Every structure is written in C-alpha cells, then in structure tokens.
Amino acid sequence: MPNGAQALMKTLVQGGVEVCFTNPGTSEMHFVAALDSAPQMRAVLCLFEGVATGAADGYGRMAGKPAATLLHLGCGLGNGLANLHNARKGKVPVLNIVGDHATSHVPYDAQLQSDIETVARNVSPQFVRTSQSTQALCRDAAQALAVAKGPPGQVATLILPADVSWGEGGTPEPPSATAAPSCAHDDQVKALAASIRTGGRTAMLLGGSGLREEALWIAARIAAHSGVKLLAETFPTRLERGAGLPAVERIAYLAEMAAVQLKGVERLILVDTKAPVSFFAYPGRRSDLTPEGCAVETLAAPDQDAVGSLKKLAIALGADNVQAPSAPALRPSAPRGRRLTAEKVCKAVGQLLPQDAILIDEAITSGLMLAHYTAGAPRHDLLTLTGGAIGQGLPNAIGAAIACPERPVLALIGDGSSMYTIQALWTLAREGLNVTAVIFNNAAYSVLNVELERVGAERIGPKARAQLDLGGAGLDFAKIAEGMGVTAVRVEETDAFCRALAQALATPGPHLIDAVVPPALGGLKRKLLPHVLGALDKMPSPLASAVKRKLAP
C-alpha cells in the first residue's frame, strides 16, 4: 500500500498537474522520493522559493492549469509570498504543497516551527488546510486542486506534515468535479444593451479571460457596432496582442494619464476585472480613477464566463456579425545612434520579436515605449506584473517556457527587479529553457525616483537619494549570468544590442543581455515629464495628443 506522499503524487497527476517547482527541505523528503513514482510529473528545482512560486505563476498563465510548488515549512512559504501575491492578483491557478513538522514534533516548538496557516491566508484566502491524517490527505489535495482551478483561478495551499507524508495507507483520490462558469443573466444583458443604446460615452474595461483572442474579437465587434471604447486593465495577467488581433488600450499606470483616457466616460462596463484605482494614494488626489458620475456596471465577474457573456451582449446589440478592425502588421525601423537607451531597446524588440513569442514585461520605467513599438509586431502574449511585487519576471519566464516549450520567451526586466529573484538564471540554465532575458541596467530604482516627487516628499538629501540608487558597487549581470551557466553579453551601444538580441532569439537555450542604459529619470515635473512628452510626440494617436495637452506645462 502506498504511503501518503506516493498516493498524493498519484492524486496530483490524475488531477492534471504535470509540473512541480521545488525547493525542498527535510520535512519534504518523502514527497521528493515519491517524485520517482510518477514519470508524468516534471520536477524543477529552484534555488529560492520566490523563484518556485513565480515559475508556477508563469506556468499557470500560459498552461491555463495549475502547477504545484513544494516549499519547506512556513519560512519557505514566506520566502515565496511575493510571487504568490502576484498570482493571486492575477487570478492564476497555483497549488502550494508546504511541508510541516510531524504532528508529534509540533509541541516541542523546534527552531523552524511556525504558524504556516496564518502565513498562507495572505495569498490563499479560499483554501488553506493542514492534512491531519494519511487517510485524509488525498481528499484534501483533490479539494485544494479544485479550488485552484476555479473559476476564477486561485492560489490554494495544502500543508503536509511529515508523518502524514510517510504514513502508510494513502489512497489516491480522483479529481473533484468543478462547475462550469455561468454567463451573465439574460435580464442583465438586456439591461446593458438598452443602456448602451441610449447613447452617452461608454467604455468597456477588459481583464483576465476577457483579454484572450476570442473575447477580444467579440468585444471589438461590440465596439465597432456601438461606439464603445475598449480598455484593458493596467497590468493584465495575459494579453494576446499584435498584428491581426484587435488592439486594446491599457489603462495607464500614472493616474494623470488614466484620467485623460477615462475623461468623459459616462458608463463603464466591467468584464472579468474591477473598476480602476490608483496604484498608490497621492496627496490631494482621488484613489478611484472612475470619473465622478460615471455608472459602473458588470457584464462578467471573475467567476463568470467572459466569452459567453460577451457573446450574449453582442447578440443583444446585433453586433455578432460586425467586421472589427485589427492591428496592422507594422514593425518599427532599426534604432539608430551609437548611444543605447531604454527606448532603443524597446524599438529593437518591436523590430525583432518573433512570431508567437511570450513577452514578459517587468521593465518598469524602462518599458515606457514597449507597448507602442510592439503593437504591430507578430502576434504574441504579454505577461505583466499583476500584483506589483517585483521579482516576478525571471521566474515567470521559467514557467512560461516550460508550459510552452515550442515558443520563444523574451523577458524584459529592470535591474533592481532582477536582483530579487536572480537565482532564476540557474534554473533557466539547468533546464535548458529557450528564454532571452534583457536586463535594463540603469543603476537605479527608477520608478521610485518618479514616485518621490509624485507623493510630495520634501527635503530629499544624499542619504535618501542613496536608497534609490544602485550605483557605486555596480552590477555586472553578464558575469552573474555566466556564473550560473547562462550565455550572456554586456552591451552599451545600439548596434551591439541589436546584434545580441537577434543572435539570442535565433539560438535555442537561455541567454541574457546586460543592456547598459542611461541613469533613471529623476522626477516627474523636471525630468520624467519631458521624456513622456517627447515619447508622445512619436505616437500619432488621439490618446497621445490628449495626454500631451493634459500634461504639458
């Protein structure tokens, strides 16, 4: 008869779990041993728990189903918490297996004893459970897996005491049934259709599953038929975009720019998202970005069927057979000039991005022009920083590459962000994953220099400025990557970067480009604003013109 760990492994495999991202310790050794009993389960070792959880997040985004993590006690779970937060905010399915001390050992309050359930509830509000017996383990696991799958996707945490794992008498459990998501009610759809027909400026804000191809086409038909403005949430979990797909404008991170996008909107319809709010509170500014007096209505909540609900609305409006425009195939020219800048990096990405690439954006301020330069690139998926906890990008690349081994992955990462989970490079090399990472090495926490002025902080002296500066000791990402087995190059000139990117994208396996770009912009009014206005000059669109008029001194 199998022990608990062996039965658990069979339960996970029967439930469709194919990958486990691991960072095990002593309490998890029976689970580790059981991996060899399940050839269907791929085990991927990560050198830091935040890499394991971020990889599971990236996998879930692209595979559409949960991977498992294996974490060591409460401390290991705590180390992985930031990327689990990102997964929770992105409604990504993840199943955590967290080892615990044997139940008989708990009363002794050993050095690593902690309250794991309290830690887990921060990221697993719907399911946290400590299995109390080997006989109950697999039933608990099947229920955890069902919660993780959703809808919507969730982070579920199953805590596995060592004696429950090694105990005899485990019985594999078949997958728990999951209910299909419901569509919007007929009366709700009719009311929305009638509301749209009355006129007034209507916008539809798409998030989650509303940003996948089928939903985008239906929403685009509604927009073309009824004059509805399409918007996407600021940080989408997964956005399908590029030439041949409907273009959708993302709500800007800066509240000042979001206000321009939403100005005059009288009716905001939500699809698998919530009404937009400012990322942080700022003195004298509203946190709610919805214009005052704007009616907010929900077509599909996160636990509902976004595609089915959009179809019903399109039929109710008579828009189901309307022709909708798509983004034209349009790549930018090669960047010129010797001096490499963040904008030139983004332009080169737009010129060279391969068909069906997975583009991971954790470039923070350096990616300001990325959306513009890649809008007409071959179709691709975009993954963004859903929860705002930096250190997501490199781990996401691991998971995305494992979920979609036939697709190239390009991860654009800020230098400060990369150092949170730089251990991901080792796993990229060990697994031989087809990932190209570009690190924007500008020697600063750029976004904090921007926010410094926006929050109204005063009397900033050298000690305070030093907390936002990564210079001094210096970071050589090429050497770091080579030390972990990743092919890497450090570049400081435009042509050198373009050659390095083209070669990396054409050569299988992991690559890193350490792109040395100018120091970060120092303040919104004094430095960021001219840069934003200059970038908007190159964007011939009504939004760019409106934003420029709003922000110009």
Side-chain angles (χ1 to χ4, degrees), residues 130-150:
T130 301
S131 279
Q132 299 297 327
S133 69
T134 301
Q135 290 69 35
L137 172 61
C138 292
R139 184 173 61 254
D140 293 339
Q143 292 174 7
L145 196 52
V147 171
K149 291 177 180 178

Side-chain angles (χ1 to χ4, degrees), residues 2 16 22 28 95 108 124 163 229 234 263 274 293 301 379 387 496 502:
T22 78
E28 295 77 49
L95 175 61
Y108 294 97
S124 299
D163 54 335
K229 180 176 183 178
T234 305
K263 185 177 180 180
K274 65 178 186 178
R379 63 171 296 166

